[in-house]
Amino acid sequence: MDKTISFTDVSLKNTFNLYEKKFKALADQKRLHILYEITQQGEVCVCDLSEKLHLPQSKLSYHLKLLMDAQLIEKETRGTWSYYTLNHSEMNHILSDELCCVFRRE
C-alpha cells in the first residue's frame, strides 16, 4: 500500500507554508533573542526590547511582525505601547514530538 501524499494535496501544502513561516521566524539570532527576552520576562514592552537589543524601533517592528505572522508571539496594545507575550501553545507545538512525526518514517 502506497502511503505517499501528493505535494498537490492542498492541506499538505498549507501545512508546509505554515511551518515555513514558523521556521523562517526562528532562523534569525535577533528574533531568537526577542523570544528569549519574552520568555525570561513573561511580557515585554516594545520600548524595553528596543533598548535591550540595541535595535531601532523600525527594525524591531520588522522582527516582531515576522514572529507575529508565524503566531509565535501575541501582542496587546495599552495606550501608546505594545506588549508582547509568548504564544505558549505554538511554541510548545514547535518544540514537541508531534512536529517531527510529519517527517518520520514508520
Side-chain angles (χ1 to χ4, degrees):
M1 173 155 79
D2 186 15
K3 288 188 177 184
T4 60
I5 300 172
S6 168
F7 189 69
T8 57
D9 180 342
V10 173
S11 64
L12 186 61
K13 200 171 200 174
N14 289 341
T15 299
F16 287 167
N17 285 335
L18 176 66
Y19 282 109
E20 180 181 29
K21 275 187 180 181
K22 291 180 190 311
F23 288 123
K24 275 186 180 179
L26 292 170
D28 180 89
Q29 286 188 22
K30 293 281 188 205
R31 291 190 288 274
L32 290 172
H33 195 173
I34 291 168
L35 290 172
Y36 175 78
E37 291 300 325
I38 293 172
T39 301
Q40 294 303 303
Q41 298 179 38
E43 177 182 77
V44 179
C45 174
V46 68
C47 57
D48 295 332
L49 277 175
S50 185
E51 275 184 43
K52 186 89 171 179
L53 300 173
H54 307 289
L55 281 175
Q57 196 159 347
S58 60
K59 289 196 184 239
L60 181 58
S61 293
Y62 167 76
H63 291 295
L64 290 168
K65 181 179 177 353
L66 289 176
L67 291 168
M68 291 275 301
D69 289 348
Q71 301 171 349
L72 299 175
I73 61 173
E74 298 171 333
K75 176 174 91 170
E76 181 182 336
T77 304
R78 295 184 216 140
T80 58
W81 295 109
S82 295
Y83 294 83
Y84 294 88
T85 56
L86 207 62
N87 182 343
H88 292 283
S89 62
E90 282 299 318
M91 290 302 290
N92 289 338
H93 182 73
I94 289 286
L95 299 173
S96 72
D97 291 336
E98 194 175 325
L99 176 60
C100 73
C101 293
V102 172
F103 301 104
R104 185 179 293 150
R105 289 183 72 177
E106 295 182 311

